Amino acid sequence: MEEPIPSPMPPHIFKAGPLPASDLVFSSSPGFATPAHPIKPRETRPVPQPVFAPQLKIANAQTVLPISLPPQLLRPVAFRTLTKKHNLTITSAALSALAIFVGKYCGAGWRQEGLAERVLDEISKQWKRDNGGLILDDAQDKKLKNILKSLEPCMSGGKLDTGRLSRTNSNISSLLRSDSSLGRPEMPRDESQTSFGMSGLDVEDQEMDVADTSQDARSYMKIVSAFTQPKLTYSTAKKTLEVVTNTSSLMPPIQHKITSFRNRYHLVHQRLLRNESFQKKTFASTTRSSSLSRSASNLASVSGAYKITPISNLLGRSGTSHLLLGLLVHSAAGDLALTDLTGSTVLDISIARPIPDVDAWFCPGMIVLVEGTYEDDGSNNSGLGSAGGVGGQIKGRFIADTIAGPPAERREVTLGTGHNHKADAVHTVAGAGYGWFDFLGTGSEKAIGQQMRRVQRQLLGHKNNDELIDGSKRTKTIMIGECNLDSPRTLEAIKAIFNTYNSTDLVDCPLTIILFGNFVKAASMAGSTKGGDSIHYKEVFDGLASLLSEFPSLMSTTTLVFVPGDNDPWASSFSAGAAALLPQQGIPDLFTSRIRRAINTANNEAHLKKDIDTPGEAVFTSNPARISLFGPVEEMVLFRDDTTSRIRRNAVLFPKQEDDEMETENDISRIQPNLDDTGMPDLDVEAAASHVPTGQSTTQHIDKATLVGRRLTKLLLDQSHLAPFPTSIRPTLWDYGHSLSLYPLPTALVVCDAEAPAFTVTYEGCAVMNPGRVVDEDKGTARRRGGEARWIEYDVKRRKAELRSCRF
């Protein structure tokens, strides 16, 4: 085989350097892709460096491609850097802002190269340097946004240029010192001396006294709608609360209905097990007390603590006494039954005694404690398929001796704040410690509670023995109930109330004026002639807007809150005045444009006269809604519902029995808090004197009128729920059932019930009040020349409510 003859090559081809143009051999063959004409080399010029910044190296800078970083991926890194290293708590909004910044300037190497940790570490240092507090948020003064903006020019190639950052910080600090010192010589500072004791707290209090003196307390107020409230559920595996991140739906699957009732049962059960009566003693006494002498009683153990028996454990234990915790329901056969997570049993209340004795309210849908004896006589056997036994209705019946609601738990015990100074042994035990949970989206108790209390003392004054040391602060909140705006007498009553507070002195103006529906007498847009159409409903609010325009000074310094009722749209269009779905959306903006215009006009007039810190506003919120003042310090629940009439229609009636001697040592009445000699809770009650009829003693009538307030207060707070009814009685949206929960207990609860008299009650540290009707239409028709307007005035600092009235 012949070898190929090599082609002659120029000798300089093996030399380094480019070939001369004369030796280049060109070819137009597409296989070689040789151009037909030579390409002239282009001269490259060096990029000139700026004179003012010679340290920049633009030619050597590495380009970083921005990425879209989800906040949940950055959360573990932020937890390690911010929480563990710097002891800071971050909100969801701040985490989203940090994720956008890290993804834009750090790129894909934010995790592998550790770029995000360095950036977050520097952000934490600057946040502490600026006295940002314990919670990293960008809500008030946009402090986090300013920090991120200052770090943008210091990012180079995904990394933080520490040299440029130090020069920027030194320039800013020198500028601040020159502005603040005004030519005075700078004092030397020893950086090695840092204090973590009480001196640092004193300095912080001094700075807050200077900065927050002129602020309005309404700047720390937030109205939380039921549809934006965070959703928490109890985890039986972790024995704590968990935040539900799934999106709620108006039409969820049927499993969510079961989940809502299960979560409500778990909250009551874990709260009950923390009660002192259900906790076993560490060192039990060797001698048993007389209350445990009965061998057949399984209510209390040897240590003296009560023990809750699941319903499924009653099988095969006929003739024994037990204490059950379950939900009152009506079985398929129409019998009253008790249901828990393990099964159900028929209740026999022929000899049952309610606790308290004075006409306590119990109705289906409530979670109750039942003490009694189980009898397996073969009767009441469920024939509903394979539902008998565990998980269904068991045989026999449970003969109830006493029935009581689960005792309420104070707010301080639930949050574990330790601010409870009551000398009751029940409330001195350690609480649940849920202080790190943000129940309203305004910050947790452990994170900003102490800081917000210092702000509260500064803006509202100090409290000493129910009296304010500084009485020159605004602390009043006004509640007006059942404002039927289509009635001329109601508008006259509202005008008379506004005249009471229409003063030039800012101290006399209330912080908030809350108006409860129904804003029309009949269901609006329900197809009836009484309720009217949408045009009539808008004209009603236009009339209120003309009334508000007569009080510009009051409207520019307060917040108007409107809570709808069952007759207000859009719920009234489907329910026709019946019980609407809870929670209920606020009144649409279509009908309230004139009111917002009147508020804006009042703010503009006040701004021309003087500079106002927080302008007036009108908020049309949901039903129920919550008002958060100073974060987790003050929480007020607003609810409009005729609860008393619904309870009366569905209450369980107990047979009347003779007063005979009964043993009370093992009775479950021991676990009821604050019981007086009459069996009712020891509540502070104040009733409206205007409800006393002519020719009847005041004492006798107050006992009857306040009894409704005591019953309703104990029922709602013991159940920790605003609507403890079945869905057939009070329909609710399953995915938004958490907005009806009263756990932890709020500092104030306003239940506007037009069918009940006005009352104010304080129970377990929670102020419960009912403003009733603003004007009595029946009495007003008889006395056409005059009337009486009634409302409630609540002091947010003292946590005391007062019934007020005026003639018009």
Side-chain angles (χ1 to χ4, degrees), residues 113-241:
E113 301 178 9
L115 303 178
E117 294 185 3
R118 302 170 189 172
V119 173
L120 295 180
D121 184 71
E122 183 61 33
I123 292 175
S124 303
K125 293 179 181 178
Q126 293 197 17
W127 180 268
K128 289 184 175 181
R129 192 182 301 117
D130 297 341
N131 297 325
L134 296 178
I135 182 170
L136 191 65
D137 197 3
D138 199 20
Q140 295 291 338
D141 50 359
K142 303 297 182 183
K143 188 175 297 183
L144 179 60
K145 183 179 179 180
N146 297 333
I147 293 176
L148 297 180
K149 189 175 181 180
S150 64
L151 293 180
E152 289 181 1
C154 303
M155 298 297 299
S156 175
K159 299 179 181 180
L160 192 63
D161 192 347
T162 56
R164 194 186 313 171
L165 180 63
S166 60
R167 284 189 294 271
T168 304
N169 293 335
S170 61
N171 294 334
I172 294 176
S173 59
S174 62
L175 180 61
L176 292 178
R177 284 195 300 266
S178 62
D179 292 340
S180 59
S181 60
L182 298 178
R184 291 177 296 179
E186 183 180 358
M187 298 298 295
R189 179 181 176 184
D190 189 3
E191 298 290 343
S192 61
Q193 295 180 0
T194 57
S195 175
F196 297 94
M198 297 302 295
S199 60
L201 297 178
D202 296 337
V203 172
E204 188 175 0
D205 288 338
Q206 250 182 0
E207 293 177 354
M208 295 187 69
D209 291 342
V210 176
D212 298 332
T213 302
S214 60
Q215 292 186 7
D216 190 1
R218 291 193 300 122
S219 60
Y220 294 92
M221 178 186 299
K222 181 180 180 181
I223 301 175
V224 183
S225 173
F227 297 91
T228 59
Q229 182 178 343
K231 185 177 182 180
L232 300 176
T233 182
Y234 185 77
S235 174
T236 56
K238 299 180 180 179
K239 303 297 181 182
T240 185
L241 297 176

Side-chain angles (χ1 to χ4, degrees), residues 509-536:
C509 296
L511 292 172
T512 312
I513 299 178
I514 306 171
L515 289 85
F516 291 90
N518 300 306
F519 295 107
V520 289
K521 295 181 181 179
S524 178
M525 291 172 287
S528 62
T529 57
K530 296 182 179 180
D533 53 1
S534 59
I535 299 178
H536 174 264

Side-chain angles (χ1 to χ4, degrees), residues 452-664:
M452 287 294 102
R453 282 185 175 86
R454 288 194 293 266
V455 178
Q456 182 191 32
R457 289 193 299 267
Q458 174 62 33
L459 297 182
L460 300 184
H462 297 271
K463 181 180 178 182
N464 187 12
N465 297 327
D466 294 338
E467 293 185 0
L468 291 180
I469 297 178
D470 188 3
S472 61
K473 307 297 183 179
R474 291 202 300 166
T475 59
K476 298 177 182 178
T477 300
I478 309 304
M479 277 81 69
I480 308 175
E482 195 65 14
C483 301
N484 296 328
L485 302 180
D486 54 349
S487 173
R489 297 187 58 81
T490 302
L491 294 178
E492 294 177 3
I494 295 177
K495 184 177 181 180
I497 296 174
F498 286 174
N499 282 325
T500 306
Y501 299 98
N502 190 24
S503 176
T504 57
D505 191 2
L506 186 61
V507 180
D508 298 333
C509 296
L511 292 172
T512 312
I513 299 178
I514 306 171
L515 289 85
F516 291 90
N518 300 306
F519 295 107
V520 289
K521 295 181 181 179
S524 178
M525 291 172 287
S528 62
T529 57
K530 296 182 179 180
D533 53 1
S534 59
I535 299 178
H536 174 264
Y537 192 80
K538 190 177 187 305
E539 291 176 351
V540 164
F541 278 94
D542 292 346
L544 179 63
S546 62
L547 174 63
L548 298 180
S549 60
E550 301 178 7
F551 306 93
S553 60
L554 180 62
M555 295 300 103
S556 61
T557 56
T558 188
T559 301
L560 289 177
V561 181
F562 295 83
V563 182
D566 292 335
N567 292 343
D568 298 311
W570 298 112
S572 60
S573 304
F574 305 95
S575 62
L581 283 170
L582 287 180
Q584 180 181 348
Q585 288 278 6
I587 300 175
D589 298 339
L590 173 66
F591 307 104
T592 61
S593 58
R594 292 284 183 89
I595 293 182
R596 300 179 189 274
R597 189 183 309 170
I599 300 296
N600 294 333
T601 304
N603 292 333
N604 295 333
E605 294 179 359
H607 183 71
L608 294 177
K609 297 180 181 179
K610 59 181 179 180
D611 189 12
I612 54 176
D613 296 333
T614 305
E617 61 176 342
V619 180
F620 295 86
T621 185
S622 61
N623 181 31
R626 299 170 191 259
I627 298 180
S628 174
L629 186 61
F630 302 107
V633 178
E634 300 289 338
E635 177 186 351
M636 178 184 294
V637 179
L638 311 177
F639 185 47
R640 171 64 181 94
D641 185 49
D642 296 334
T643 309
T644 56
S645 59
R646 184 173 293 104
I647 292 176
R648 289 191 181 100
R649 291 193 300 266
N650 301 277
V652 177
L653 300 179
F654 294 91
K656 296 183 179 180
Q657 299 180 8
E658 299 179 358
D659 295 333
D660 52 355
E661 295 183 358
M662 301 178 62
E663 294 184 3
T664 59

